[in-house]
């Protein structure tokens, strides 16, 4: 038997081990090269990540700022309350269209009072400056406080999206020649209003907490209601996927006999994890909506579909966590007379809990960012407009979800919605990152290794 | 464990509540061309009435009408938006599923425009014949019908720029495609004489018309199944690309697109209203009469949509790009009387 490591008496080629020969050099060089490839791969990954983050932040951060105009509006009793009795029911008869002239007048008066030099002198010509949402804002306030009619009230209204875009640099003067929404004369007014402090950018909470808006007023749109939709969907996923997933894994891992049937189930769980999510959407449409008769666009249905999608993730991670608990723990419990069930629930499951929770959170984060199945169950469109009144409505009434809302914004015609889509991505990423960080902390803190 | 129990009990309660809760909001789906208008109306409707804001989904005219025709009941939509009139086949499918009384509502007109990158080649004037020569499957060359092998626009019309042919047209599930086929491709087919050659070649008139509608399949004409934003993105990355857009979409993106005239007429709301611009089509929505009185706010939504202050020439829809219907009063009366299709015609 020859042993390669056997010391030889004489150096075979008369070489010292202190001097690297050609072969060793080659091997060392190839190791260096490999390390360089690895570093390059990591470098490329970091570079793309930075480009992506840079693109998201540079496009999206401006969505959190919005241009507002502070303007005192005279709520003309002759127009808003013809009967003069301040009855909310009577006030409701004046639609938002009745409020538009009041706001336009107020803006014109403000422009003239501030001594702004402009050839425009008709109230209706001020329309291009203000958001269409202002009328509804005034009307809601008046209906809530009928006593305001006849007085001059200070309002903080949104500027039109083109004005906002001009302040953010998205709308350029040279692009205006064929834009029917706004023209250079209006931008002159905007410049002067800004100098006099009548119009300014401010942080826009409405973007984070508000409702979706129609195509004609991107300045008003917010992701808040869609966030609620996502929240209710996650409740459904958590309430269904966690108990079902954990129960299935405990049975498969601790109790199930090893036979072809359990093998089949195991193979199928792995297969299920690889099914494209759109397939679950089609399933949800045909089973939950068309067969079971659940309402369309409801977070409940979205949650059920995402549950199906999340289950394999949870089952696989739970089984891994259970497997990681050493058999000695089970044996010790059984040895002092615990039943099989007691050994699982008193000893194995608590030790596996950190792993299970980590898997669950990662599964939820995956479900939170999922869009494709929601397309098919009617959660994309102009939907996220009404805040749910209660728990049941939260599950049942039509709503969207954060990724679906972002997709919807990205589709819309007005370029201002593009910025909002990026802004929505930032919010979604914040959620995903914080969920992943929680998962990491849980794992670091509580996971035990044997 | 107790947490888990309450969580699952909560889910059970939510499932049990389904049968009890009746739908109280109007549900709309269909054409992505009508979607912006419908969302504007739905928003104003939610602001001005005590009903919740209707839900508007897109997906294309055909998809919307298909869902509309699935049957009567809370789990079916109440209104289908369409950028074309409902087809006989669809009316029959509707009737088979018990949807017999449909109120057809025309809300106005929309122009279809051909636009390209603002800094791209000078595509400023087209005739239907140009579009057919560029995109038709078979074209007339030296008096003979051949497979379309034109690669540049100036190969068949010296007035057009020397640029590669690349066009992004709406996919077949869009109502816009139908208008594009009928008003541009068939018109161009006739104008170039290709249609005549086909009929002389032994085709019936209908077959020839169908053949005229087929576009070349060598990658120079790309079907866009998504929305206009997808077309816009394709144009952005393709300096020579020509895209087919709705007028309203173009008017919201004048900073990146330039529009071409068709048969010498520039597309504007005025030229479309006057009927001068050749490529325009009516926009519709269809209401299920059986749902009126069952779904709260449905009739109010429909009449609010066609009210003068909304769909009229000075309303927010016209401002967004809709060409308002001169016969709006008839439409309003139709909703008021709930006149269904086939009645009072």
């Amino acid at each position: 038997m020859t042993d390669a490591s056997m010391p030889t008496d004489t150096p075979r080629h008369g070489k010292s081990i202190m001097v690297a020969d050609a072969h060793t050099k080659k091997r060392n060089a190839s190791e260096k090269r490999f390390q360089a490839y690895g570093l390059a791969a990591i470098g490329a990954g970091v570079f793309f990540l930075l480009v992506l983050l840079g693109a998201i932040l540079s496009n999206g951060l401006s969505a959190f700022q919005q241009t507002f105009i502070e303007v005192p509006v005279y709520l003309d009793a002759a127009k808003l309350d013809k009967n003069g009795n301040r009855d909310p029911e009577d006030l409701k008869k004046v639609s938002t269209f009745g409020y538009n002239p009041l706001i336009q007048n107020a803006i014109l008066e403000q422009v003239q009072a501030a001594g702004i030099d402009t050839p425009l002198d008709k109230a209706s010509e001020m329309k291009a400056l203000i958001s269409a949402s202002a009328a509804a804002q005034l009307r809601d306030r008046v209906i809530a406080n009928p006593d305001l009619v006849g007085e001059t009230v200070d309002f903080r209204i949104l500027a039109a999206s083109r004005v906002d875009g001009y302040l953010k640099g998205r709308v350029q003067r040279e692009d205006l020649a064929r834009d029917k929404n706004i023209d250079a004369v209006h931008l002159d007014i905007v410049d002067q209003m800004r100098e006099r402090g009548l119009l300014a950018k401010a942080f826009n909470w409405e973007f984070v907490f508000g409702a979706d808006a129609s195509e004609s007023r991107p300045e008003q749109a917010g992701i808040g209601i869609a966030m609620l939709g996502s929240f209710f969907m996650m409740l459904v996923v958590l309430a269904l996927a966690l108990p079902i997933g954990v129960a299935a894994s405990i049975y498969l891992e601790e109790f199930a006999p090893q036979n072809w049937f359990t093998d089949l189930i195991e193979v199928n769980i792995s297969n299920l994890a690889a099914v494209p999510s759109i397939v679950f959407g089609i399933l949800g449409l045909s089973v939950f909506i068309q067969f079971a008769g659940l309402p369309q666009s409801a977070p409940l249905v979205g949650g059920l579909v995402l549950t199906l999608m999340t289950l394999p993730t949870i089952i696989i991670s739970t089984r891994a966590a259970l497997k990681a608990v050493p058999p000695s723990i089970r044996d010790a419990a059984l040895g002092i007379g615990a039943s099989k069930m007691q050994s699982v629930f008193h000893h194995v499951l608590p030790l596996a809990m950190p792993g299970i929770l980590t898997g669950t959170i990662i599964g939820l984060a995956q479900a939170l960012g999922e869009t494709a199945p929601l397309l098919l169950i009617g959660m994309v469109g102009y939907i996220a407009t009404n805040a749910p009144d209660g728990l049941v409505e939260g599950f049942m009434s039509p709503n969207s979800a954060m990724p679906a809302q972002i997709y919807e914004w990205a589709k819309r015609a007005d370029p201002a919605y593009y910025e909002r889509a990026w802004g929505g991505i930032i919010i979604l990423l914040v959620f995903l990152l914080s969920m992943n960080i929680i998962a990491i902390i849980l794992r670091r803190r509580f996971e035990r290794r044997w | 464990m107790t947490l888990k129990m309450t969580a699952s009990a909560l889910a059970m309660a939510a499932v049990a509540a389904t049968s009890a809760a009746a739908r109280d909001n109007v549900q709309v789906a269909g054409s992505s061309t009508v979607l912006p208008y419908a969302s504007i109306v739905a928003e104003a409707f939610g602001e001005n009435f005590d009903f919740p804001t209707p839900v508007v989904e897109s997906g294309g005219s055909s998809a919307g009408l298909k869902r509309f025709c699935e049957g009567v009941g809370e789990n079916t939509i109440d209104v289908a938006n369409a950028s074309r009139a409902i087809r006989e086949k669809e009316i029959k499918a509707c009737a088979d599923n018990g949807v017999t009384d449909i109120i057809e509502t025309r809300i106005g007109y929309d122009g279809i425009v051909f636009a390209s990158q603002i800094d791209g080649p000078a595509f400023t004037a087209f005739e239907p014949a140009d579009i057919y020569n560029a995109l038709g499957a078979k074209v007339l060359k030296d008096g003979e019908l051949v497979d379309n092998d034109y690669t540049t626009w100036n190969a068949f019309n010296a007035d057009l720029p020397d640029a590669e042919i690349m066009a992004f047209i709406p996919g077949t599930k869009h109502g816009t495609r139908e208008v594009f086929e009928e008003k541009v491709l068939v018109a161009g087919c006739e104008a170039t004489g290709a249609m005549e050659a086909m009929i002389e070649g032994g085709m019936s008139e209908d077959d020839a018309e169908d053949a005229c509608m087929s576009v070349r399949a060598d990658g120079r004409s790309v079907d866009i199944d998504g929305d206009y934003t997808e077309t816009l993105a394709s144009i952005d990355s393709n300096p020579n690309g020509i895209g087919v857009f709705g007028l309203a979409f173009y008017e919201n993106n004048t900073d990146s697109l330039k529009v071409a005239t068709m048969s010498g007429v520039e597309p504007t709301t005025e030229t479309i209203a006057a009927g001068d611009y050749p490529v325009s089509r009516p926009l519709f929505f269809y209401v299920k009469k059986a749902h009126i009185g069952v779904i709260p706010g449905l009739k109010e939504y429909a009449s609010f949509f066609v009210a003068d202050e909304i769909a009229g020439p000075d309303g927010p829809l016209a401002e967004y790009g809709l060409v308002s219907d001169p016969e709006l009063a008839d439409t309003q009366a139709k909703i008021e009387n709930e006149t269904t299709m086939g009645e009072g015609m």
Side-chain angles (χ1 to χ4, degrees):
Chain A
M1 208 181 105
T2 51
D3 194 337
S5 64
M6 280 267 280
T8 45
D9 292 332
T10 49
R12 264 185 297 169
H13 306 293
K15 279 180 188 166
S16 153
I17 53 163
M18 307 302 287
V19 182
D21 63 7
H23 186 231
T24 314
K25 270 186 191 152
K26 211 174 147 193
R27 287 193 307 167
N28 288 347
S30 94
E31 186 181 323
K32 282 237 169 59
R33 264 204 312 280
F34 179 75
Q35 285 191 9
Y37 294 152
L39 272 178
I42 291 173
V46 170
F47 171 74
F48 286 124
L49 184 70
L50 287 181
V51 168
L52 187 69
L53 280 180
I56 290 173
L57 291 178
S58 66
N59 281 311
L61 279 179
S62 56
F64 292 88
Q65 296 256 313
Q66 204 66 39
T67 308
F68 291 91
I69 304 177
E70 306 260 2
V71 61
V73 180
Y74 171 58
L75 298 169
D76 191 350
K79 278 182 182 148
L80 301 183
D81 191 11
K82 294 196 176 88
N83 300 335
N85 54 12
R86 305 290 188 267
D87 179 2
E89 287 307 312
D90 275 357
L91 290 175
K92 274 185 189 169
K93 286 189 184 131
V94 180
S95 73
T96 48
F97 301 99
Y99 284 79
N100 278 326
L102 297 183
I103 306 170
Q104 290 160 11
N105 262 325
I107 297 278
L108 181 67
E109 274 171 25
Q110 195 185 33
V111 164
Q112 286 170 344
I116 289 171
D117 175 34
T118 171
L120 304 178
D121 58 358
K122 282 207 275 300
S124 58
E125 286 167 332
M126 297 295 128
K127 197 175 175 186
L129 296 177
I130 50 177
S131 163
S133 67
Q137 189 190 340
L138 254 66
R139 184 173 180 269
D140 287 348
R141 180 103 165 252
V142 166
I143 288 170
N145 304 298
D147 296 334
L148 293 179
V149 175
E151 294 183 21
T152 302
V153 184
D154 279 331
F155 281 96
R156 185 163 174 262
I157 59 175
L158 284 164
S161 74
R162 289 294 198 281
V163 173
D164 181 57
Y166 177 61
L167 259 62
K168 288 174 180 168
R170 188 180 64 235
V171 174
Q172 301 290 331
R173 272 175 185 266
E174 47 274 21
D175 296 336
L176 292 177
R178 293 171 307 139
D179 194 329
K180 71 185 168 94
N181 292 297
I182 200 161
D183 52 36
V185 181
H186 285 106
L187 292 186
D188 292 339
I189 300 181
V190 172
D191 280 338
Q192 296 184 51
M193 283 178 91
R194 182 162 52 167
E195 277 164 26
R196 290 169 172 74
L198 300 173
L199 165 156
K201 279 199 289 182
F203 191 81
N204 183 20
W205 286 107
E206 274 298 296
F207 175 64
V208 185
F209 298 111
D212 191 15
S214 74
E215 300 255 1
S216 62
R217 40 175 111 155
E219 63 278 359
Q220 193 200 356
I223 203 169
I225 307 289
M227 217 186 271
L228 276 180
S230 281
F231 169 74
F232 281 106
M233 289 199 316
M234 289 307 112
L235 276 189
V236 175
V237 175
L238 191 66
L240 292 177
L242 186 61
I244 295 177
V246 171
S249 333
I250 291 181
Y251 179 77
L252 283 175
E253 203 54 47
E254 304 285 339
F255 296 98
Q258 274 290 326
N259 57 24
W260 65 268
F261 184 65
T262 47
D263 283 348
L264 189 74
I265 289 179
E266 271 177 39
V267 168
N268 277 309
I269 287 172
S270 312
N271 279 342
L272 213 57
V275 170
S277 55
I278 190 101
V279 175
F280 289 112
I282 297 173
L283 184 79
L285 176 67
S286 63
V287 174
F288 297 130
I289 293 176
Q290 287 171 354
F291 177 72
L294 292 175
Q296 276 176 354
S297 317
L300 175 68
V301 180
L304 289 172
V305 169
L306 294 179
T307 300
L308 295 178
M309 217 194 76
T310 318
L311 260 180
T313 316
I314 293 189
I315 292 181
I316 290 170
S317 65
T318 303
R319 294 191 63 188
L322 289 173
K323 251 186 212 139
V325 177
S328 56
I329 304 256
R330 294 183 185 83
D331 295 342
L334 293 175
I336 56 167
S339 72
K340 181 87 182 162
M341 198 173 141
Q342 283 172 325
S343 89
V344 170
F345 281 97
H346 293 176
H347 301 283
V348 179
L349 195 58
L351 287 171
M353 223 38 180
I356 296 175
L357 288 181
T358 310
T360 308
I361 292 172
I362 288 174
L364 281 184
Q366 227 175 33
L368 184 67
E370 196 56 64
T371 324
L374 307 182
L375 296 176
L376 290 163
I377 54 172
M379 295 185 83
V380 174
Y382 175 65
I383 297 171
T385 50
N386 303 307
D389 302 328
L391 204 58
V392 176
E393 276 75 30
F395 289 112
M396 304 306 293
S397 59
N399 205 332
S400 192
M402 279 194 279
Q405 183 73 65
I406 292 167
Y407 171 70
E408 171 65 25
W409 282 344
K411 286 197 309 178
R412 291 191 183 164
D414 197 309
Y417 268 115
Y418 192 65
E419 164 199 276
R420 293 198 120 60
W422 286 100
I425 291 173
I426 294 181
I427 295 184
L428 184 63
L429 278 183
V430 167
F431 272 93
L432 295 180
L433 277 180
S434 31
M435 286 172 88
N436 282 338
I437 288 172
I438 291 173
I440 291 171
I441 291 175
L442 276 179
R443 193 159 51 201
R444 280 282 164 85
R445 269 267 167 107
F446 300 108
E447 195 172 51
R448 288 180 65 175
R449 294 191 179 279
W450 282 277
Chain B
M1 286 313 288
T2 47
L3 179 98
K4 231 185 299 180
M5 297 287 266
T6 38
S8 25
L10 197 82
M12 294 301 222
V15 175
T18 31
S19 43
R23 179 147 69 82
D24 60 356
N25 61 320
V26 176
Q27 291 204 331
V28 184
S31 166
S32 41
T33 311
V34 185
L35 175 77
Y37 305 115
S39 73
I40 290 169
V41 176
E43 184 167 64
F45 181 75
E47 281 168 2
N48 285 309
F49 288 80
D50 285 334
F51 301 107
T53 308
V55 167
V56 191
E57 295 169 50
S58 61
S61 304
S62 304
L65 283 166
K66 195 170 161 223
R67 276 176 66 185
F68 183 78
C69 291
E70 267 166 11
V72 174
E74 265 178 37
N75 282 314
T76 57
I77 57 171
D78 312 309
V79 178
N81 293 329
S83 53
R84 57 169 174 78
I86 191 168
R87 294 183 185 128
E88 278 302 317
K89 212 167 61 186
E90 285 160 340
I91 295 178
K92 199 174 163 300
C94 261
D96 289 345
N97 291 325
V99 186
T100 45
D101 291 337
I102 304 169
I103 306 173
E104 181 177 64
T105 316
R106 189 174 60 210
I107 58 170
Y109 294 86
D110 179 37
I112 291 173
V113 307
F114 292 80
S116 58
Q117 241 185 48
I118 196 155
D119 310 319
F123 296 116
T124 50
F126 285 124
E127 297 286 329
D130 297 331
I131 304 287
Y132 183 78
N133 272 331
L135 302 179
K138 293 217 182 274
V139 291
L140 202 61
K141 236 179 178 179
D142 307 325
E144 264 181 75
L145 269 185
V146 291
D147 282 342
N148 194 344
D149 60 354
Y150 288 123
T151 54
T152 59
W153 291 88
N154 65 351
F156 48 81
N157 183 347
D159 293 340
L160 290 172
D162 178 14
E164 289 274 314
I165 295 173
M166 192 74 219
F168 301 93
I169 63 175
T172 44
K173 71 169 184 171
H174 287 285
T176 315
R177 173 63 170 262
E178 196 166 298
V179 186
F180 171 73
E181 286 173 348
E182 277 169 12
K183 304 227 160 142
V184 183
L185 285 182
V186 174
C189 194
E190 276 177 47
T192 55
M195 193 166 185
E196 211 175 312
M198 286 176 194
I199 294 171
E200 275 168 16
M203 274 193 202
S204 75
E205 206 160 313
D206 280 352
D207 286 348
E209 206 165 287
D210 283 347
C212 285
M213 287 182 191
S214 58
V215 292
R216 62 198 295 182
D218 56 358
R220 291 192 180 271
S221 159
V222 180
D223 278 17
I224 301 281
D225 276 327
D227 294 271
Y228 293 134
T229 33
E230 207 181 316
T231 317
L232 179 63
S234 310
I235 298 273
D236 273 345
S237 55
N238 238 311
N240 291 331
I242 294 280
V244 178
F245 296 96
L247 176 69
F249 187 92
Y250 159 70
E251 290 196 330
N252 273 294
N253 287 281
T254 48
D255 56 337
S256 52
L257 291 174
K258 68 168 183 295
V259 76
T261 59
M262 182 56 71
S263 308
V265 184
E266 193 185 339
T268 60
T269 40
E270 291 79 26
T271 54
I272 292 166
D276 295 335
Y277 185 72
V279 201
S280 71
R281 37 81 188 271
L283 301 178
F284 298 91
F285 68 86
Y286 294 88
V287 183
K288 241 175 238 180
K289 191 178 175 182
H291 283 196
I292 292 180
V294 180
I295 304 295
L298 177 56
K299 188 169 177 185
E300 287 82 354
Y301 167 76
S303 40
F304 186 65
F305 205 132
V306 292
D308 285 331
E309 52 189 4
I310 293 283
D314 300 318
L317 299 189
E319 207 173 290
Y320 188 77
L322 182 77
V323 179
S324 60
D325 189 347
E327 291 160 18
L328 203 56
D330 293 350
T331 315
Q332 287 161 356
K334 212 163 155 186
I335 291 187
E336 199 43 53
N337 306 326
E338 300 179 15
T339 315
T340 56
M341 294 180 78
E343 267 178 22
M345 274 183 181

